[in-house]
């Protein structure tokens, strides 16, 4: 069990640029989740995949955000035309079923200049 | 509205003292309950979970939590705190039946004085 892996750990970019983050879940987990955490807050749910199907999206996920999990393994989260308000920690988690606890990666911290 | 409340934003305890972190939830039915811990710049680590059964749940690192239905609470406790326990602690819930997303409280920042 190598745990949930996220890349990169840190991303600094200028406002208006596009960024993409990657998440590799625990290998036998078919459920994958993305969360966003801003300073001083708990993580907030963004979206959820079961295998390659994106089954739920939060209202927080604006049109500038898109997530994919093309082969039911790793996932990517892309933010287009980044804004200052996108600065946050983006966390990925995975689980084997809906009743099993979610295991989190160390996150990608995004800073918008 | 469904919510999770952690009333204490910051708590400071002396090393060796006991600890209790509070968590209250507001849901129609008892949800599944979790406590996670987060060290600076890191992801979240699961401390313990409650689905059903015994209301006193044991977790890792010497933590335990007690579910009280009458108070809609799931408080985290540790008899003797170590300096390495300094971190942020999050209570989280998933609606009964599984559901697809964790709803987190705002967290409690624990400081340990030596």
């Amino acid at each position: 069990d190598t745990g949930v892996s996220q890349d990169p750990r840190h991303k600094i970019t200028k406002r208006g640029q596009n960024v993409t983050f990657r998440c590799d879940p625990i290998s036998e987990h078919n459920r994958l989740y993305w969360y966003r955490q801003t300073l001083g807050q708990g993580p907030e749910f963004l979206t959820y995949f079961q295998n390659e199907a994106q089954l739920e999206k939060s209202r927080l996920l604006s049109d500038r955000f898109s997530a994919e999990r093309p082969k039911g393994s790793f996932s990517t989260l892309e933010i287009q035309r980044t804004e200052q308000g996108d600065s946050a920690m983006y966390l990925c988690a995975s689980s084997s079923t809906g009743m099993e606890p979610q295991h989190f990666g160390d996150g990608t911290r995004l800073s918008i200049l | 509205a469904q919510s999770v409340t952690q009333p204490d934003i910051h708590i400071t305890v002396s090393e060796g003292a006991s600890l209790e972190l509070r968590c209250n939830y507001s849901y129609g039915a008892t949800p599944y309950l979790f406590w996670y811990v987060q060290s600076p710049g890191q992801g979240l680590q699961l401390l313990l979970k409650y689905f059903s059964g015994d209301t006193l749940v044991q977790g890792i690192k010497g933590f335990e939590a007690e579910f009280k239905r009458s108070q809609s609470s799931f408080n985290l406790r540790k008899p003797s705190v170590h300096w390495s326990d300094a971190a942020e602690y999050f209570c989280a819930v998933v609606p009964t039946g599984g559901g697809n997303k964790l709803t987190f409280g705002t967290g409690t920042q624990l400081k340990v004085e030596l």
Side-chain angles (χ1 to χ4, degrees), chain A residues 45-60:
Chain A
F45 172 80
L46 291 178
T47 190
Y48 150 71
F49 290 84
Q50 184 163 330
N51 299 313
E52 66 275 11
Q54 187 174 19
L55 298 184
E56 188 172 349
K57 292 170 62 173
S58 163
R59 289 172 296 174
L60 293 174

Side-chain angles (χ1 to χ4, degrees), chain B residues 70-90:
Chain B
S70 61
Q71 298 177 18
S72 296
S73 68
F74 188 55
N75 293 350
L76 183 71
R77 301 195 296 242
K78 186 168 185 178
S80 178
V81 170
H82 188 262
W83 64 266
S84 60
D85 293 324
E88 188 147 26
Y89 291 80
F90 292 96

